[in-house]
Amino acid sequence: MERAIALDANDPDTMVMMGWDALERGDVKRAAQWAHDALTARPEFQDGLVLMGQVYLRQGRIEDAREHALWALRQDAADEGSLRLLASIKARRSPLLGLWWRYAMFMGSLGDGKSTLVLLGAFVAYRFATLAAKDLGQPNLASLIQLVWLGLALYTWVGPALFQKMVRQELDTVRLDARF
């Protein structure tokens, strides 16, 4: 991608790709700079608006993210990236989905290796706590720990499905005139 920038430093598509790459690596500051550069080069650029909205969402600037999502949707009401951004904003505002969204963003920012280690560490801590509670003669506490773990496992399994349902609902609201 660096070579693409070297070939055409003013290409907004390349800037947005660099921004997404930075955002995936957890470098929100650099992603914001790429998004800003892309929108400076082409102010109404759909992908640049979505990227900037995602950057704002990661920074916790919900209203700014919403403004960019709506700005992008005004240009193309059926754009999946814009609708995903809007659904992410709604999920973040929801108490139930907001917790899952923050968890998913945190785990995603760690990368595959580190997130696997975090999950393995959590499982070891759960097993240790359960066994310790049983050894201390607290079977009720051990059962409670197991129920909490089961609840967390179910929540991380159901959360993505709820989010996808929210995205589908947003997509269903987009209707084009049959004559179009």
Side-chain angles (χ1 to χ4, degrees), residues 11-25:
D11 181 31
D13 286 314
T14 305
M15 292 177 198
V16 167
M17 287 182 357
M18 295 296 289
W20 282 114
D21 181 58
L23 197 60
E24 286 177 14
R25 288 183 285 109

Side-chain angles (χ1 to χ4, degrees), residues 24-36:
E24 286 177 14
R25 288 183 285 109
D27 189 355
V28 179
K29 191 174 195 176
R30 188 70 181 132
Q33 185 59 50
W34 283 117
H36 181 269

Side-chain angles (χ1 to χ4, degrees), residues 33-110:
Q33 185 59 50
W34 283 117
H36 181 269
D37 291 348
L39 290 172
T40 299
R42 199 160 67 183
E44 298 287 324
F45 187 42
Q46 181 84 20
D47 294 338
L49 291 169
V50 173
L51 174 60
M52 187 58 91
Q54 288 290 354
V55 166
Y56 284 147
L57 192 58
R58 287 269 181 100
Q59 292 173 338
R61 296 170 57 182
I62 307 297
E63 282 307 312
D64 291 332
R66 186 175 180 280
E67 296 261 334
H68 278 74
L70 294 177
W71 189 3
L73 285 168
R74 279 187 208 112
Q75 295 179 52
D76 182 2
D79 180 61
E80 188 173 336
S82 304
L83 290 168
R84 243 180 222 292
L85 174 59
L86 189 59
S88 295
I89 292 165
K90 286 184 176 189
R92 177 107 184 239
R93 287 182 172 168
S94 163
L96 183 63
L97 281 178
L99 184 62
W100 170 81
W101 190 89
R102 285 179 185 86
Y103 166 77
M105 289 298 105
F106 169 73
M107 293 301 279
S109 71
L110 293 177

Side-chain angles (χ1 to χ4, degrees), residues 103-119:
Y103 166 77
M105 289 298 105
F106 169 73
M107 293 301 279
S109 71
L110 293 177
D112 290 340
K114 289 180 183 176
S115 64
T116 301
L117 288 176
V118 167
L119 291 173

